[in-house]
Amino acid sequence: MRPRIPLVHAPTPIVRSKALSSMLGVELYIKRDDITGGAESGNKLRKLEYLLGDALERRTTCVLTCGGAQSNHARSTAIASAMLGLRSILFLRTGENPDALRRDYTGNVLLDRLAGAEIRPVSADEYRDRTRIMGEAAEALVEVGERPYVIPEGGSNGLGAFGYVEAMRETRMQLEHGIAGGAAAFDLVAHACGSGGTAAGVVLGAAEYEVAHHVWTFAVCDDRAHFEQQIARVVAEARELEPSLSRLAPLTIDDSAKGPAYGVMSEEQRAFLIRVARTSGILLDPVYSGKALFGLAQAVARGAIPRGARVLFIHTGGLPGLLAQGANFEGAL
Ligand SMILES: *Cc1c(COP(=O)(O)O)cnc(C)c1O
């Protein structure tokens, strides 16, 4: 058995939103993976059940990972590590000015600091070399008697992907209990994609547990070709660990809703996020889930997804990132 530590408050609810169903023109169910926990919440916590399970089995003392300055993954890792009594070191990508991160006490960074994580700012250039940089830092820690464990960006490797294979098993159980209009598979599962690990787990799990006929993942950065490679790599790693995962749900990688840049919404996307909040009480984040649900609405509007389809949208979290972007909403609210 693969070691797994319970971190997720599972099963996360699946809710039907009448307001959003009529707004988007599909039968919309939302899996609330934005509430997998408390401050540590979000999709990354599912991956961390396996990654930190492995780390503990290896008697790790210190966890290393990386991400953007407002990385949800880094924050979930920092808080979960604190829960388990482990040190954490976060290699966070800075913008033009590294001092801005040193003085940042907002959103995810505030939570990182509260959890006692050590933050090491890295420039955008250095960040491309993150695997080497974390590897060298790990070697240095070994020298001083620590037992380091390196988690890649987004927790996206074969082991982390099991978090979403498991989420699909959980969803199958919920379908059996009739909480989403019957036991039949969804027409579609949709979610945001940033490093590909969630998509990899979902395409494996959705097929294995017959949760959906199709998976639609919305890139929030890079492009389709990039994620085709990323997701294929993570799927291959997961299958190496678990060869019985032989089937894959058909996948569409949609990069049409990523907006102006990573972490930056268009005016139209921001207006959509606000409208969703006010009509449904579902608070999306500006980096991932807001763009993904916007993309879903657009895909239905352009006829790529049939009207009336029964869709499960995975709300992957990101609230602290929204709170860090308050200034971008000035004048829009
Ligand atoms: C990381 C993240 C995603 C994307 O998940 P990946 O597995 O990295 O593709 C989506 N939504 C939120 C809120 C995230 O933090």
Side-chain angles (χ1 to χ4, degrees):
M1 264 309 276
R2 225 166 282 112
R4 170 183 170 207
I5 44 161
L7 294 170
V8 173
H9 299 197
T12 58
I14 292 178
V15 297
R16 165 138 201 244
S17 170
K18 273 201 171 149
L20 294 181
S21 291
S22 53
M23 185 170 154
L24 269 64
V26 292
E27 195 187 332
L28 189 71
Y29 293 87
I30 302 175
K31 181 141 177 82
R32 296 291 306 270
D33 274 11
D34 56 320
I35 49 173
T36 51
E40 73 282 14
S41 201
N43 65 333
K44 302 311 180 310
L45 208 58
R46 289 195 182 271
K47 305 178 185 187
L48 289 167
E49 289 197 332
Y50 291 90
L51 294 164
L52 292 177
D54 186 39
L56 284 185
E57 186 163 90
R58 293 167 195 267
R59 304 201 352 268
T60 294
T61 58
C62 180
V63 179
L64 283 65
T65 197
C66 63
Q70 283 292 339
S71 165
N72 296 306
H73 163 67
R75 177 257 310 163
S76 293
T77 304
I79 298 174
S81 296
M83 288 174 174
L84 299 171
L86 303 172
R87 267 183 75 190
S88 62
I89 304 179
L90 311 176
F91 294 79
L92 300 185
R93 187 179 62 230
T94 64
E96 308 278 276
N97 177 9
D99 279 347
L101 178 56
R102 291 202 181 86
R103 281 184 272 105
D104 192 344
Y105 285 83
T106 68
N108 283 298
V109 183
L110 172 63
L111 300 177
D112 296 342
R113 295 188 197 282
L114 283 168
E118 178 187 333
I119 294 176
R120 297 196 189 167
V122 294
S123 71
D125 268 351
E126 288 168 335
Y127 192 78
R128 279 181 210 108
D129 255 343
R130 57 191 176 271
T131 307
R132 183 182 56 77
I133 290 176
M134 288 196 291
E136 286 172 7
E139 278 171 30
L141 286 162
V142 169
E143 306 262 302
V144 297
E146 295 264 11
R147 296 174 67 93
Y149 187 86
V150 178
I151 297 178
E153 181 183 65
S156 288
N157 59 15
L159 191 57
F162 284 114
Y164 270 88
V165 176
E166 168 58 22
M168 292 297 99
R169 195 191 63 78
E170 178 183 306
T171 302
R172 171 37 67 197
M173 305 285 286
Q174 292 176 299
L175 285 169
E176 298 299 326
H177 284 103
I179 61 149
F186 290 99
D187 295 316
L188 193 80
V189 175
H191 65 88
C193 180
S195 63
T198 300
V202 169
V203 292
L204 289 165
E208 177 72 16
Y209 300 108
E210 295 176 8
V211 166
H213 301 301
H214 200 110
V215 177
W216 206 287
T217 193
F218 291 95
V220 301
C221 53
D222 298 298
D223 61 11
R224 228 180 99 199
H226 169 81
F227 283 115
E228 264 166 19
Q229 262 195 358
Q230 272 306 101
I231 296 167
R233 174 186 60 81
V234 182
V235 163
E237 287 176 9
R239 279 175 161 170
E240 204 159 300
L241 296 169
E242 187 58 69
S244 71
L245 292 171
S246 55
R247 294 187 303 147
L248 279 183
L251 172 69
T252 297
I253 301 169
D254 188 332
D255 62 6
S256 68
K258 61 184 180 175
Y262 175 71
V264 183
M265 286 194 129
S266 67
E267 287 302 324
E268 194 189 357
Q269 289 176 325
R270 192 171 297 121
F272 176 83
L273 182 152
I274 294 167
R275 195 147 71 90
V276 168
R278 291 180 176 180
T279 55
S280 68
I282 297 290
L283 274 294
L284 301 168
D285 82 290
V287 185
Y288 297 97
S289 58
K291 288 180 176 180
L293 194 67
F294 175 84
L296 181 65
Q298 298 249 301
V300 177
R302 70 173 183 268
I305 293 171
R307 295 189 79 79
R310 187 159 149 267
V311 176
L312 182 69
F313 178 75
I314 305 175
H315 188 335
T316 42
L319 180 61
L322 171 66
L323 300 179
Q325 281 205 16
N328 293 344
F329 287 81
E330 265 185 57
L333 299 174

